[in-house]
Amino acid sequence: VEPDTISYNAAISACEKCQQWQWPLFLLEEMGRRRVAPSTRTFNAVMSALDGGKQWQRALGFLADLRRRSAEPNVITLSAAISACCDRRSWRWASSIFAVMKQNGLQPNSITCSTAIGALEKAGVWRGAIGVVGEMDACHIASNDVVASAAIRACEAGEHWQGALLLLADACKKDTAPNSFLLNGAILACAAARQWERALQIVDGLHLHEMSRDSLLMLCEQQGLCEHETRLLLDMARTGASSIELALRGLPDPAAVTVAAAVRLLHTGRKARARQLLRRSASMGEWNRAAEHIWASCSSSMRRSLGVAASQLVHLPQQPVAPLQIPSKTRYSKELCMLDYVLRTAIAGDAASVCQTMDDFREHLWKSSGVWSKSAGDAKAEIVCAAMGSGHPIGGGILEIGTYCGYCTIRMAAVCPAACVITLEFDSLHVVVARNLVALAGLSNRVDVWTGHSDRILPLLVKERGRGRNYCASFGAVLMDRWGSQYPEDLDVLEDSGLLQEGTILVADNVLKTGASLFAWRIAGEGADYATVFLPVQEADSASGDWLAVSVLQRQKTSMNKTPPVAEPPFPLVQIHQEAERMRELTVGPKSHLVTADERAAIAEELRTVLREMKIVASSDPVGQGACCL
């Protein structure tokens, strides 16, 4: 049976869905040899495959080939071509294709416009993005939050805060309750242009969504706007119920947010303001054992400097083992119930007791309800501590990207008593929990929990280290614990800025399940500057397990360093990276939904298989002792 156009279209579409861009081109050539006429659907499927493979040069070549064939591309074909050109190198082509579409009388749809704005966003071409939004209004094309968010992000990249505010105002005319992604984008655009007051005015009088609050807190921390930051933190608190009742509703209690604010004030040298805040909290009966520890720290510091006796505001005696409350399904209930349990149960000032109590909570929660805590425990934390404690270079600080509730933070600080720890967490409520637990462990003087994404905080470290805060000249150890496909971006900043030194220990979690394929090649592929071992780790919520990467930097990047870069990653690793980025965008985008455990297990198995073919495998060492010998 000879294949016809329909058969070829089905085969090309199957290749497209599997992100195989080479085969559609081969099949199209074969159609020509067999004299099978391609249809518009054929061309659309080939262009979509090139888009999925991020092959923008081939996509442009294919458009030229269509003209030679006298074939007229339709809106779908051109939209896929625009999408293929969505990066900093090719955005001008995307803009040109969009213009040609209009010249040829083709009516762009919302997907086409959104794709064009996405290309302009990546290049920071805010005028073009605003222009496309105007085109949509002129053509009566319905806009949506995704389009407006992308246009605002283009204004942020171009540091054009006025355009961001205009887009936000236009969106508010259509929707009286602005989307959190729009608010967040406008705040960050103002921050990028150093319009701090404008950023704060955006949300004046509004009920802050968590995302906007996170961005504002990050902004205030970066710019030293301590009073604004304190107010934002205190506004998180809820009253009228006990701490555990609030925790079951996913709401922080006043004592916890007061501790978080007081810790920040202490780190910025405002001890008197921290004492004032704690005194006010105690007078209102809003107190916990972390607050007691912070008060003692303030008092001893004041006593040393002023020669006065420290007074004890409130003393909470060690309580009998508290009953463990099973959290509700409300967001943050798990973390806040854990905080309440640890504050009432652990021994204050004892890091080991705090971590053990967190372990007890996690284990009981898993056994009783099947809910798994994200805190790294058991073998995973042992590997991290073994790596940090055995070879941590003298004089270098520790950087953690992804604090969560501070479990690994506390353990690393305890095992490296001479090191300062800077840890980054984008979720402000997790920051509150972590600061309380670090304070209870008696480590607030050496651990600084920052609010914000690493892509924004790491450049700040580069620009302003040594100014005003506990910046480290370089890091002797780094723990990466966020979505793995983003690890190479963090590593670029750390290497290029000199924040890493030869001998720096780099530990990365979730290598397989978050598709850290390019990162794995970077630290273990041909020509890598790192000595690396991958260690298998098992978690109770998964049958497939994951890998933890432990590396040591052997060659530091310098202006005089002429060593060749790591070889280009093989294409299968690039494909896995693209799929991992798609999954990441689903978990954090405007249409946010959790990626299923099956999807994460599938990408983990695919990456494990590809790496095995490249002779990159996990060590058989079950406890990570091999990591100590790198």
Side-chain angles (χ1 to χ4, degrees):
V1 178
E2 289 294 320
D4 57 9
T5 303
I6 296 175
S7 305
Y8 276 108
N9 287 349
I12 291 172
S13 296
C15 295
E16 171 206 341
K17 291 175 183 177
C18 296
Q19 295 185 328
Q20 297 288 334
W21 60 267
Q22 300 98 327
W23 279 104
L25 293 175
F26 171 80
L27 291 171
L28 185 62
E29 289 180 5
E30 185 176 282
M31 290 178 74
R33 290 193 299 270
R34 289 175 175 266
R35 301 184 183 277
V36 177
S39 65
T40 301
R41 183 177 176 184
T42 311
F43 298 141
N44 291 345
V46 172
M47 185 64 79
S48 295
L50 294 172
D51 169 29
K54 303 301 179 187
Q55 298 294 314
W56 65 271
Q57 297 99 328
R58 287 183 171 84
L60 294 173
F62 184 58
L63 272 183
D65 184 54
L66 290 181
R67 293 191 185 98
R68 288 193 294 271
R69 294 169 180 261
S70 299
E72 288 295 328
N74 62 13
V75 172
I76 297 174
T77 315
L78 295 176
S79 295
I82 291 172
S83 179
C85 295
C86 278
D87 68 22
R88 294 183 185 276
R89 298 170 297 170
S90 56
W91 67 269
R92 294 182 188 277
W93 287 106
S95 184
S96 298
I97 295 169
F98 186 76
V100 168
M101 180 184 295
K102 293 185 295 178
Q103 291 169 6
N104 292 346
L106 293 175
Q107 177 71 29
N109 55 32
S110 59
I111 296 175
T112 310
C113 294
S114 177
T115 304
I117 291 173
L120 296 165
E121 171 209 337
K122 286 180 171 61
V125 185
W126 60 268
R127 285 188 178 88
I130 292 176
V132 174
V133 173
E135 291 278 354
M136 294 181 71
D137 290 338
C139 296
H140 305 290
I141 301 172
S143 183
N144 54 42
D145 291 338
V146 176
V147 171
S149 295
I152 288 177
R153 288 195 299 271
C155 292
E156 176 198 346
E159 297 186 3
H160 188 72
W161 60 271
Q162 299 97 327
L165 294 185
L166 284 173
L167 289 165
L168 179 63
D170 183 61
C172 288
K173 289 178 185 176
K174 302 171 185 175
D175 188 349
T176 54
N179 179 280
S180 61
F181 285 87
L182 300 180
L183 281 174
N184 194 55
I187 290 167
L188 294 175
C190 290
R194 296 170 179 78
Q195 295 291 325
W196 324 122
E197 292 299 327
R198 297 274 186 182
L200 293 168
Q201 290 169 6
I202 288 174
V203 295
D204 191 29
L206 293 176
H207 176 67
L208 276 182
H209 186 275
E210 287 91 350
M211 182 182 297
S212 301
R213 182 183 65 215
D214 297 343
S215 294
L216 280 174
L217 281 168
M218 177 181 67
L219 165 65
C220 291
E221 283 186 27
Q222 290 179 1
Q223 301 308 316
L225 306 174
C226 290
E227 286 306 315
H228 286 294
E229 182 185 352
T230 300
R231 187 185 71 189
L232 284 167
L233 282 167
L234 295 179
D235 284 348
M236 293 172 63
R238 297 294 181 266
T239 58
S242 67
S243 60
I244 190 60
E245 289 171 334
L246 288 170
L248 290 171
R249 291 155 52 191
L251 302 171
D253 70 281
V257 296
T258 298
V259 168
V263 167
R264 276 289 300 129
L265 290 167
L266 286 175
H267 275 290
T268 55
R270 293 168 171 81
K271 295 183 177 65
R273 180 71 175 101
R275 282 174 59 86
Q276 180 188 34
L277 199 64
L278 291 168
R279 190 183 297 277
R280 172 183 170 275
S281 182
S283 69
M284 300 175 67
E286 297 164 353
W287 200 251
N288 65 26
R289 292 169 65 232
E292 180 180 308
H293 215 71
I294 292 297
W295 175 262
S297 175
C298 292
S299 299
S300 60
S301 175
M302 295 285 282
R303 184 173 65 248
R304 288 193 301 269
S305 60
L306 302 177
V308 296
S311 59
Q312 182 105 35
L313 283 186
V314 180
H315 176 64
L316 299 178
Q318 178 72 31
Q319 301 178 17
V321 176
L324 191 150
Q325 178 67 53
I326 301 299
S328 68
K329 294 184 179 180
T330 307
R331 187 183 183 190
Y332 299 124
S333 177
K334 176 174 61 179
E335 293 81 5
L336 291 170
C337 283
M338 184 267 293
L339 174 62
D340 182 79
Y341 177 75
V342 176
L343 286 172
R344 291 185 291 117
T345 307
I347 300 172
D350 186 333
S353 174
V354 171
C355 289
Q356 182 59 55
T357 309
M358 293 173 74
D359 282 335
D360 294 343
F361 179 89
R362 185 185 70 251
E363 184 178 354
H364 182 83
L365 188 62
W366 172 251
K367 288 181 177 178
S368 60
S369 60
V371 176
W372 181 245
S373 170
K374 292 191 295 182
S375 292
D378 305 327
K380 186 181 291 187
E382 291 297 330
I383 294 171
V384 172
C385 290
M388 300 286 179
S390 64
H392 178 257
I394 297 173
I398 296 175
L399 173 67
E400 180 184 29
I401 302 174
T403 314
Y404 188 45
C405 292
Y407 180 86
C408 273
T409 315
I410 295 170
R411 293 200 61 168
M412 288 188 299
V415 80
C416 301
C420 68
V421 180
I422 291 177
T423 179
L424 316 181
E425 172 57 48
F426 71 91
D427 191 306
S428 54
L429 196 136
H430 293 163
V431 168
V432 168
V433 172
R435 286 181 184 165
N436 274 262
L437 293 173
V438 168
L440 185 65
L443 296 170
S444 289
N445 61 323
R446 292 195 293 111
V447 175
D448 200 355
V449 184
W450 291 21
T451 309
H453 278 281
S454 57
D455 60 354
R456 299 182 184 278
I457 301 295
L458 291 181
L460 175 71
L461 283 172
V462 176
K463 291 179 182 178
E464 301 187 25
R465 56 183 171 178
R467 289 178 50 192
R469 287 180 64 177
N470 225 4
Y471 290 96
C472 297
S474 63
F475 293 105
V478 178
L479 171 61
M480 293 180 169
D481 190 6
R482 68 178 190 120
W483 197 271
S485 59
Q486 298 285 291
Y487 289 165
E489 295 181 11
D490 292 340
L491 194 56
D492 282 340
V493 176
L494 292 169
E495 287 184 346
D496 294 342
S497 63
L499 285 171
L500 304 183
Q501 56 185 302
E502 288 187 15
T504 290
I505 297 164
L506 181 66
V507 181
D509 196 6
N510 303 315
V511 171
L512 297 180
K513 289 185 180 178
T514 58
S517 56
L518 298 188
F519 176 77
W521 181 256
R522 179 85 164 265
I523 60 174
E526 181 183 341
D529 292 332
Y530 296 83
T532 300
V533 60
F534 293 99
L535 299 164
V537 290
Q538 193 72 39
E539 293 179 339
D541 67 334
S542 170
S544 59
D546 208 332
W547 286 2
L548 197 74
V550 181
S551 307
V552 176
L553 178 59
Q554 296 184 316
R555 291 176 294 185
Q556 184 179 13
K557 277 189 179 180
T558 67
S559 58
M560 302 298 293
N561 192 345
K562 303 300 183 182
T563 56
V566 63
E568 285 293 317
F571 184 70
L573 293 180
V574 176
Q575 287 184 302
I576 293 173
H577 171 76
Q578 292 169 355
E579 174 62 15
E581 280 291 276
R582 183 195 68 80
M583 291 167 60
R584 182 186 66 84
E585 289 169 3
L586 287 176
T587 65
V588 300
K591 297 181 178 179
S592 176
H593 72 276
L594 292 177
V595 174
T596 66
D598 287 343
E599 287 180 282
R600 295 183 70 167
I603 198 171
E605 186 56 38
E606 182 181 3
L607 179 53
R608 183 187 285 108
T609 300
V610 170
L611 290 175
R612 186 187 303 121
E613 292 170 356
M614 299 172 186
K615 310 301 182 184
I616 299 175
V617 296
S619 167
S620 58
D621 181 359
V623 293
Q625 293 302 314
C628 307
C629 304
L630 285 173

